[in-house]
Amino acid sequence: MKLSWKGIWNYKCPRCGEGDMFKKPFKWTDPIAMNSHCSNCKLDFEPEPGFYFGALIISYGISSWMLLLPALALVLYFKWSVMAAMGFTLAFAGLTYFKIMRLSRSLYLHFSMRYDKSLEDSENSSSKYDKTIF
């Protein structure tokens, strides 16, 4: 079993790598609308209530470093004013908000459950805890 970075980036099921985690098409009114189960292997995408609260920490870590480093570079290296750097940072945060939010959920689920080719045709594939790390 290995971690699939392509599956994380494309929001695919961590077990089979085929089913989509998020509902399509993307809706601005509900950007984190997730499918309840994988359409391919029937993996439950919400193993327990409140499972994705951990994704908030991942989202915070990714976005804080992704926004802090360019802002510091603009102020300290390129000699931008603090207000100009803050404006750039806010615009950049607005452009990447939904991607980071979805990516952190995908990352959290993929770190919890891993791809396993042997489970693709399993009859008991709807079990919430097949081959989890925990």
Side-chain angles (χ1 to χ4, degrees):
M1 294 187 344
K2 64 179 185 154
L3 190 64
S4 169
W5 294 105
K6 184 178 177 183
I8 292 170
W9 187 257
N10 293 321
Y11 316 126
K12 296 295 183 183
C13 174
R15 183 169 35 186
C16 68
E18 297 295 323
D20 292 321
M21 286 179 57
F22 293 96
K23 293 181 180 178
K24 291 184 179 179
F26 177 81
K27 292 183 182 178
W28 289 96
T29 56
D30 195 7
I32 55 173
M34 292 183 69
N35 294 317
S36 61
H37 291 84
C38 175
S39 60
N40 188 41
C41 70
K42 306 296 184 233
L43 175 71
D44 189 359
F45 286 146
E46 187 154 345
E48 59 187 52
F51 177 75
Y52 290 106
F53 283 126
L56 292 171
I57 303 301
I58 293 173
S59 176
Y60 178 75
I62 291 171
S63 60
S64 62
W65 285 105
M66 185 183 74
L67 299 173
L68 178 67
L69 295 178
L72 287 175
L74 290 174
V75 171
L76 299 175
Y77 184 75
F78 294 106
K79 306 298 182 200
W80 283 28
S81 70
V82 173
M83 292 304 289
M86 183 61 75
F88 172 82
T89 302
L90 288 174
F92 188 58
L95 291 173
T96 60
Y97 177 71
F98 293 126
K99 182 68 177 176
I100 297 294
M101 190 169 34
R102 286 178 155 220
L103 187 66
S104 65
R105 280 191 171 209
S106 179
L107 195 63
Y108 194 65
L109 188 63
H110 276 262
F111 278 150
S112 300
M113 300 175 188
R114 300 286 173 91
Y115 174 80
D116 189 358
K117 186 100 172 135
S118 67
L119 291 174
E120 285 184 14
D121 299 321
S122 173
E123 289 298 319
N124 189 22
S125 61
S126 63
S127 173
K128 296 180 182 181
Y129 303 105
D130 281 345
K131 298 291 185 181
T132 58
I133 293 174
F134 302 117

